[in-house]
Amino acid sequence: MNSYDVAVIGSGPGGYVAAIRCAQLGMKTAIIEKYSTLGGTCLNVGCIPSKALLDSSHHYEDAVKHFEEHGIDIPGEIKINLEKMISRKQAVVDQTTGGIDFLMKKNKIDVYVGTGSFKDATHISIVGEETTEIEAKHTIIATGSKPSTLPFIKLDKERIITSTEALKLKEVPKHLIVIGGGVIGLELGQVYKRLGAEVSVVEYMDRIVPTMDKGVSKELNKVLKKQKFKMNLSHKVKSVERNGDEVIVKADNKKGEEVTFTGDYCLVAVGRHAYTDGLNAEAAGVKLTDRGLVDVNEHLQTSASNIYAIGDVIKGAMLAHKAEEEGTFVAETIAGQKPHIDYNLIPGVVYTWPEVAAVGKTEEQLKEAGVDYKVGQFPMRALGRSRASMDLDGFVKVLADKNTDEILGVHMVGARAADMIAEAVVAMEYRASAEDVSRMSHAHPTFTEAIKEAALAATGDRALHI
Ligand code: FAD
Ligand code: NAD
């Protein structure tokens, strides 16, 4: 039987990063993955393929709607080749997952393909084409998550689908009904909206992306409505039925009236849940919470002291970069180091266009905590860079402590917000004040000037360009 210092179960961004860091720290490491490709949800059916389709559909929309105003005439009709678009996406996925194979070899990590199942706290059986058993001093559970649904919905995976199927449709829906106005619903909704589908979002709460800052939800809602998304907020879905090629969704609106949506596809995007099927956690003494998450302490250690858990399978935001930070954290903890994660500084991004990005506290959270704060907000349309590229929607909002001027949260909607948010993370990591950021030179013309201007506004109504 092969013996390891560390076995990692699951090869998503949490698992593979944990394995690499363990190997870097000199530990003999194995990784176990039940699918034949490494990379987990993120690389196979999550972050990477969704961004590949967002990029392709963005190019298409630009060609159809915006090239002309830039003085670019394309003779003849511009058409979508969906099959090619999907196969390009798959090529990107294949290349990226292949990169993880390379990294495992480079770091001398043994890869086992099969479902990992605890026999006890130090032995794992791996059931794949063959059954193997390994011994591990420490194990890191990184088994991720799966799409959630509603109890009355029967996902047929043809027309009533999750994100996984939405990444490989064979036709552009005529009318896509999206249940859930969260990250997945809006990102994948926008892909098919750009490709010509009518898109109706049916959201239970009174705003889209309800966990983000309210101002951000409002601005994104406004922009998406301008892009002809049909937004149905405060709607409680009560049935989803398939009738041939049709899907019929019934919901109660705010007034309690029944509203019926008829489309040809329905994307169910109401969140994801931790995945521990087949893991046999109890055999190792690993306890789950009432919600099915692996229960961990502040060291991400489970109720079995030699077993840790990271990523989507534990509490917290279900984000690839959060899982990665936890992978490194646990590897270093096992190696006897004292790592640290500031969960307040894990940024959140929605890759619609305009993009949405945020870090730190929202206004609602600051109000609830009774913090005395001030707001500096700057609209993207006042930037020369935005006018040059005609990306006029959105704003940057800086929230700072009223007494100390320390930045407490940064929220933005706008072109390239996903990349810009890194500046706010760095500033907040070093506990910068709004004045610190406002006094740093930002290259002109760039979208980042909106951060400087919002910081100036927060320091005392000192924005220069509005
Ligand atoms: P996962 O990536 O889910 O990996 C877990 C792995 O464990 C899987 O490969 C699974 O097969 C394997 N496994 C499970 N049980 C066993 C077992 N018993 N034995 C062996 N293997 C097992 N996050 C972002 O930060 N940015 C984004 O842009 C983004 N886009 C997304 C788009 C979509 C459509 C979706 C669905 C998700 C997206 N996410 C994004 C979320 C991101 O994918 C997850 O947060 C991330 O993948 C979690 O990583 P993980 O390592 O915890 O688990
Ligand atoms: P989500 O939590 O972002 O959104 C789910 C939405 O569905 C919420 O707005 C919620 O109010 C709504 N909802 C819940 N029950 C409902 C009901 N009965 N009827 C109508 N609406 C209902 O979840 P998601 O979009 O499914 O994404 C799952 C996870 O994947 C998220 O945690 C997210 O962090 C991650 N993800 C991240 C990215 C990114 O970082 N860009 C992209 C995709 C997914």
Side-chain angles (χ1 to χ4, degrees), residues 9-16 32-35 37-48 50-51 114-117 142-147 163-164 167 183-184 187-188 272 275-279 310-313 317-323 349 351:
I9 309 181
S11 71
Y16 84 73
I32 305 161
E33 170 55 56
K34 70 175 190 174
Y35 290 121
T37 54
L38 302 179
T41 304
C42 176
L43 273 61
N44 290 282
V45 290
C47 325
I48 300 300
S50 59
K51 267 80 255 179
T115 300
S117 183
T143 51
S145 63
K146 291 279 179 197
S163 54
T164 304
L167 291 167
V183 200
I184 291 183
E187 288 185 358
L188 293 177
R272 295 175 63 85
Y275 182 73
T276 53
D277 291 8
L279 191 61
I310 59 172
D312 281 11
V313 80
M318 289 186 166
L319 295 172
H321 43 287
K322 178 253 191 192
V349 173
Y351 294 83

Side-chain angles (χ1 to χ4, degrees), residues 7-140:
V8 181
I9 309 181
S11 71
Y16 84 73
V17 167
I20 292 173
R21 190 71 190 117
C22 286
Q24 284 177 344
L25 290 164
M27 293 180 261
K28 190 178 175 203
T29 307
I31 192 163
I32 305 161
E33 170 55 56
K34 70 175 190 174
Y35 290 121
S36 56
T37 54
L38 302 179
T41 304
C42 176
L43 273 61
N44 290 282
V45 290
C47 325
I48 300 300
S50 59
K51 267 80 255 179
L53 290 182
L54 276 159
D55 279 338
S56 296
S57 59
H58 201 164
H59 285 311
Y60 172 71
E61 187 181 57
D62 275 345
V64 172
K65 291 193 183 156
H66 303 302
F67 275 15
E68 204 190 337
E69 50 199 354
H70 283 272
I72 305 165
D73 290 331
I74 301 182
E77 197 189 342
I78 303 166
K79 285 192 193 150
I80 300 158
N81 182 338
L82 186 62
E83 197 181 335
K84 197 165 177 183
M85 204 178 272
I86 300 279
S87 68
R88 186 199 79 94
K89 172 220 75 177
Q90 196 52 44
V92 172
V93 168
D94 294 345
Q95 214 181 9
T96 315
T97 57
I100 307 298
D101 290 334
F102 164 78
L103 291 174
M104 295 301 104
K105 282 196 193 92
K106 184 183 161 209
N107 287 284
K108 302 191 174 48
I109 296 162
D110 288 349
V111 177
Y112 291 88
V113 181
T115 300
S117 183
F118 285 107
K119 293 198 86 174
D120 58 38
T122 50
H123 293 86
I124 303 163
S125 125
I126 302 161
V127 183
E129 273 179 18
E130 295 158 14
T131 299
T132 337
E133 192 176 320
I134 62 169
E135 186 180 38
K137 275 190 214 138
H138 302 276
T139 295
I140 302 174

Side-chain angles (χ1 to χ4, degrees), residues 434-435 438-439 452-466:
E435 186 178 353
S438 78
R439 289 189 183 277
K452 179 183 171 103
E453 292 276 1
L456 275 168
T459 58
D461 208 14
R462 289 187 41 219
L464 294 164
H465 290 89
I466 193 149

